[in-house]
Amino acid sequence: MNQNTVMIETELGDWRRTHYSDRLSPQMADSDVTVMGWVLSVRGHGNISFMMLKDKEGEIQVLAKAGSCPDEVREKISRLKAHSSVGIKGTVKPSEKAPRGIEIIPKEIRVFSEVEKIPPFEPYAKTVKNIDTRLEVRPIDLKRKSLQHIFKARSKILQAIRNYFYENGFLEINTPKMIATATEGGAALFPIFYYNKEAFLAQSPQLYKEQLTMSFEKVFEIAPIFRAEPSRTNRHLAEAISIDVEEAYVDYNDIMKRIEDLIKISIKTVNDYFKENTDSEFITVNMPDKIPQYTYSELVDKMQKVGAKTEWGDDLYPSNLKKIGLSGFYFIKDWPIGPKPFYVKMSKSDPKISESFDLMFGDLELSSGSTRVEKRAELEERMKNKGLKIDAFEYHLRAFDYGMPPHAGCGIGLERLIMSLTGTENIRDATFYPRDVDRLTP
Ligand code: AMO
């Protein structure tokens, strides 16, 4: 090694970024800055190299030219492969030719991670067909612009939803995810070993959020739910995020109003994001003044009129919903009581019907909710009819001996909400690391 050769450091050490790329401006000419990020491209030849550096806020050009930066730094930059992670200390210079009218003349470089491998797909490509190839290296996939926009919009929507709950007097709760009994009749369970007992991953926070209305009246939780879904579809996950709401002294009509509020603020949030980020290719979602409500029976009639094969009591299948031309957001309410879980309240006017609803977007179910049973005897009766062991639920039923208020609530699937608001077709792209029948990694 030549005595004058400078070792290129590979550790972060005491270096800290002074500016994100978007904060650099021609007004900062001659300032010394430290930037960090990933190499987007390196081009040039002989005595001059242009490097584009990317961080979470944008991109900046680094110009390494013989005579204006140390030779070792220039040589190192000229050999860097795209995606390597680096830090640069240098001086800001105005430049008419640089993409943003400025560039950095480097004085020192630290190469934290040098990339030798070519990723299995171009990380900044607009589309990559095979989702499995993408998921294998998900952190690289998530650098792609379309996914960046989905997840940034998702984060803003979550923030707006949380704000709504806080502003309206709801308490944020967390309930156990390892539980002793099933809550959602139809959905399959993941059994787990809990010390020497069998337990399950929670299908929903249902029973706990109901109990907490006794202590806090208005509660919400945003957390994972686990469903051993055997289905390989673009709308089912084994682990999804549910926005759960539960409120005392209200019924399902009041909860539909809450949902209407939440949908309105979510649409506003996503449309604002879209306006600020003109390079995103989101659909613009229109919000009707009121979300239309149809009763289950009304829709069965409509389906039968257009010749769809369906009987009163059947589920309302997506193919049949399409046949009657329903689109956008709408509620289907007053479902048959039969298939509904034990905690859903029967209608006072018709014992065949429940005080329940689903929120739909086209043929996609985004949420279900209901008025709940608040009398212990009625709850036990419903459980017996469903063949459930009452003793196993004693820990829950006990709460009903001490003044359970009338209450109602709902669960909204976050990934499905994001799909509807951003036009994302595969639910796997509305979550960071999807879990499904075939996938437990990465
Ligand atoms: P439900 O079982 O209908 O109701 O679930 C509520 C909402 O959660 C979402 N969801 C899913 N999303 C992705 N993949 C899945 N496998 C999945 N399963 C459900 C859907 C669905 O509408 N305890 C009740 C809610 C309540 O009454 O408060 C419940 O869990 O968007």
Side-chain angles (χ1 to χ4, degrees):
M1 196 188 295
N2 178 321
Q3 265 198 335
N4 295 326
T5 304
V6 178
M7 273 287 292
I8 304 286
E9 295 258 8
T10 60
E11 299 293 324
L12 178 67
D14 59 359
W15 278 30
R16 292 295 177 269
R17 166 192 278 138
T18 57
H19 298 81
Y20 280 106
S21 57
D22 67 331
R23 297 279 134 174
L24 302 173
S25 64
Q27 287 73 39
M28 294 173 66
D30 298 327
S31 315
D32 284 336
V33 295
T34 306
V35 290
M36 294 190 187
W38 292 266
V39 176
L40 202 56
S41 61
V42 179
R43 61 191 174 80
H45 44 81
N47 287 337
I48 188 160
S49 289
F50 298 90
M51 176 174 103
M52 287 307 290
L53 183 82
K54 183 172 170 58
D55 59 25
K56 93 180 171 69
E57 303 298 336
E59 296 163 18
I60 186 75
Q61 177 164 294
V62 177
L63 172 68
K65 197 170 151 191
S68 61
C69 89
D71 288 347
E72 295 79 10
V73 173
R74 181 173 49 81
E75 275 159 25
K76 187 75 220 178
I77 287 178
S78 70
R79 289 196 305 272
L80 278 176
K81 297 251 176 13
H83 313 302
S84 298
S85 162
V86 301
I88 301 267
K89 272 188 196 288
T91 312
V92 178
K93 293 281 176 208
S95 159
E96 275 176 17
K97 286 188 193 141
R100 290 186 34 229
I102 42 165
E103 57 200 8
I104 294 179
I105 310 297
K107 289 181 181 164
E108 289 178 70
I109 182 167
R110 289 191 178 178
V111 181
F112 309 123
S113 296
E114 203 156 349
V115 168
E116 295 300 342
K117 270 191 172 173
I118 298 172
F121 54 88
E122 174 43 55
Y124 299 110
K126 202 167 164 196
T127 51
V128 178
K129 284 222 171 87
N130 189 331
I131 189 158
D132 287 315
T133 311
R134 294 201 280 111
L135 288 170
E136 287 305 324
V137 277
R138 187 60 157 172
I140 294 276
D141 185 32
L142 291 170
K143 287 182 177 225
R144 294 189 315 116
K145 201 177 269 177
S146 56
L147 292 183
Q148 286 265 314
H149 284 312
I150 292 173
F151 286 99
K152 286 178 183 172
R154 179 188 191 270
S155 175
K156 296 253 182 246
I157 292 164
L158 273 174
Q159 188 181 13
I161 288 176
R162 273 210 168 80
N163 285 347
Y164 172 84
F165 285 129
Y166 282 103
E167 282 161 14
N168 285 278
F170 283 80
L171 186 88
E172 181 156 11
I173 56 166
N174 292 101
T175 59
K177 299 302 159 218
M178 295 188 285
I179 57 167
T181 52
T183 51
E184 307 306 326
L189 283 159
F190 281 112
I192 52 167
F193 292 113
Y194 189 75
Y195 302 105
N196 58 353
K197 288 193 211 76
E198 189 187 45
F200 307 98
L201 293 178
Q203 295 165 309
S204 81
Q206 185 63 38
L207 307 187
Y208 293 100
K209 66 173 180 170
E210 284 192 52
Q211 291 192 18
L212 290 172
T213 62
M214 284 181 74
S215 347
F216 299 102
E217 292 202 26
K218 294 161 92 172
V219 295
F220 80 99
E221 177 169 9
I222 303 178
I225 55 170
F226 301 93
R227 307 282 171 104
E229 293 283 358
S231 26
R232 291 179 169 82
T233 74
N234 281 352
R235 41 178 73 178
H236 289 93
L237 291 169
E239 179 176 344
I241 300 292
S242 174
I243 303 166
D244 269 277
V245 189
E246 204 68 26
E247 198 172 344
Y249 303 109
V250 300
D251 73 6
Y252 73 139
N253 291 305
D254 303 282
I255 298 298
M256 283 191 274
K257 283 196 200 107
R258 291 266 178 230
I259 290 198
E260 208 162 69
D261 288 348
L262 288 171
I263 293 296
K264 274 186 188 156
I265 58 160
S266 301
I267 290 178
K268 182 178 176 338
T269 306
V270 82
N271 286 346
D272 285 351
Y273 181 88
F274 175 66
K275 268 186 227 135
E276 279 165 26
N277 295 274
T278 43
D279 62 340
S280 56
E281 290 174 359
F282 289 160
I283 49 169
T284 311
V285 187
N286 294 322
M287 177 66 203
D289 287 341
K290 201 166 159 29
I291 299 183
Q293 297 184 2
Y294 306 98
T295 66
Y296 168 89
S297 301
E298 189 182 340
L299 294 188
V300 170
D301 279 352
K302 277 193 185 172
M303 285 175 184
Q304 288 172 342
K305 279 195 188 117
V306 298
K309 270 198 190 139
T310 192
E311 297 291 326
W312 197 95
D314 289 351
D315 202 356
L316 300 182
Y317 296 108
S319 54
N320 287 341
L321 290 168
K322 270 191 190 139
K323 278 188 194 146
I324 53 171
L326 289 171
S327 64
F329 295 99
Y330 61 96
F331 287 109
I332 307 176
K333 64 178 186 177
D334 304 340
W335 288 78
I337 188 91
K340 284 287 167 193
F342 61 84
Y343 54 79
V344 174
K345 194 163 182 142
M346 188 187 284
S347 162
K348 280 270 168 287
S349 56
D350 182 348
K352 291 198 302 303
I353 284 175
S354 60
E355 288 198 8
S356 64
F357 64 83
D358 280 1
L359 171 73
M360 305 294 296
F361 181 77
D363 63 359
L364 182 67
E365 178 199 313
L366 302 187
S367 171
S368 54
S370 57
T371 313
R372 323 300 192 180
V373 179
E374 82 275 19
K375 310 250 186 322
R376 178 168 180 154
E378 192 181 335
L379 201 55
E380 286 191 10
E381 188 60 31
R382 295 288 312 281
M383 286 176 157
K384 265 191 227 148
N385 291 342
K386 295 218 164 263
L388 295 170
K389 288 194 195 110
I390 307 240
D391 289 353
F393 288 90
E394 178 52 31
Y395 74 95
H396 177 58
L397 290 166
R398 193 180 293 147
F400 289 69
D401 294 337
Y402 301 100
M404 181 60 81
H407 59 287
C410 70
I412 306 167
L414 173 66
E415 294 83 1
R416 292 188 183 179
L417 177 66
I418 300 301
M419 287 169 80
S420 70
L421 296 172
T422 61
T424 305
E425 278 172 12
N426 191 333
I427 196 165
R428 290 165 188 78
D429 276 335
T431 190
F432 294 93
Y433 291 97
R435 290 287 175 265
D436 60 35
V437 193
D438 304 306
R439 187 167 283 282
L440 189 57
T441 60

